Amino acid sequence: MTAPARSFSPRDPTDRKVLVTEVGTRDGFQAEPTPIPTATKVEILDALAAAGVPSFEATSFVSPRAVPQMADAAEVMARVARRPGVRLQALVPNARGAEAAAAARVDMIVCFVSASESHNEANLNKPIAGSLANVAEVARIARAAGIPLRGAVATAFGCPFEGDVPVDAVLRIVEAYVGEGVRHVSLGDTTGMATPPLVERAVEAIRGRFPAVEIALHFHNTRGIGLANVLAGLALGIREFESSIGGIGGCPFAPGATGNICTEDLVYLLHECGFETGIDLERLIAVARRVEEVVGHPLPGQVMKAGPRLRLHPIESVRRAVG
Ligand code: ZN
């Protein structure tokens, strides 16, 4: 498949604002073998919001037996600072999760279904049709609570068990979401199988069928082209991306899946391309370093190591370098 050459200018060149949704305290911490203390999660969320991050997938209301790392979801939501203009989303797998999320007054509930049957079975232990029935219940609860619902499509660009995921499979889920009143859809590249042509194909297919739907893109850097996929999305006029601080995360049910694209690297790219995020990159890097300390192992983020390109170094520090 060959993609037509295109310049990296947005559909509407005057639209330079990009919404960055931070998923590190959910997608990232969930994949950590050691549970992160609630106070630390709250500290990280507050520090990121203070650095200007406007939107979060803060936690998920799931069975503590299935995902012990998220057992403190209600407590995290109760303790995190609520700032005007900052959106705190929570992921829910079912009605019980939606009720708990509504009781915790999250700003947006996120439901999720995989576009591939086998990944949905592995991740949610039921067929897609069963998950869509759950979505209807979740939507009813969200509506009753007056909380907007966002629909995530996992394995939207490929499945580790089935390979290519047909666009029609993605469209079927988006159609079900739209039928439940969902306006925000997030396409998840759960195992890092997206490529720029696949991004273009999925975004254009959804736009063609559901022009009112707002699309966010959630990429993983499993094969090193996460930010190339962001550029493809920007060129298509997409203005929301999900990422994790330091690049933490991965899907425990997807073999070989490594982390999300990294928030500092994404923000660095966006700013260098003239987009506005409202985020202070230096403060973001400081939080990434703190997260590295908290998890106790190196994180894949690169800008957190090298710094912004115009951060200067004393010449003495490189005098003896030979290559
Ligand atoms: Zn992810």
Side-chain angles (χ1 to χ4, degrees), residues 63-95:
S63 149
R65 221 165 7 89
V67 189
Q69 293 92 332
M70 295 290 119
D72 59 357
E75 211 186 332
V76 168
M77 287 305 304
R79 288 166 64 174
V80 68
R82 299 297 182 99
R83 293 166 186 259
V86 171
R87 182 172 85 194
L88 297 173
Q89 308 168 185
L91 193 70
V92 308
N94 51 32

Side-chain angles (χ1 to χ4, degrees), residues 23 26-27 189-190 218-220 250 259-260:
V23 301
R26 202 286 300 168
D27 197 335
D189 184 23
T190 316
H218 176 119
F219 294 126
H220 282 213
N260 301 285

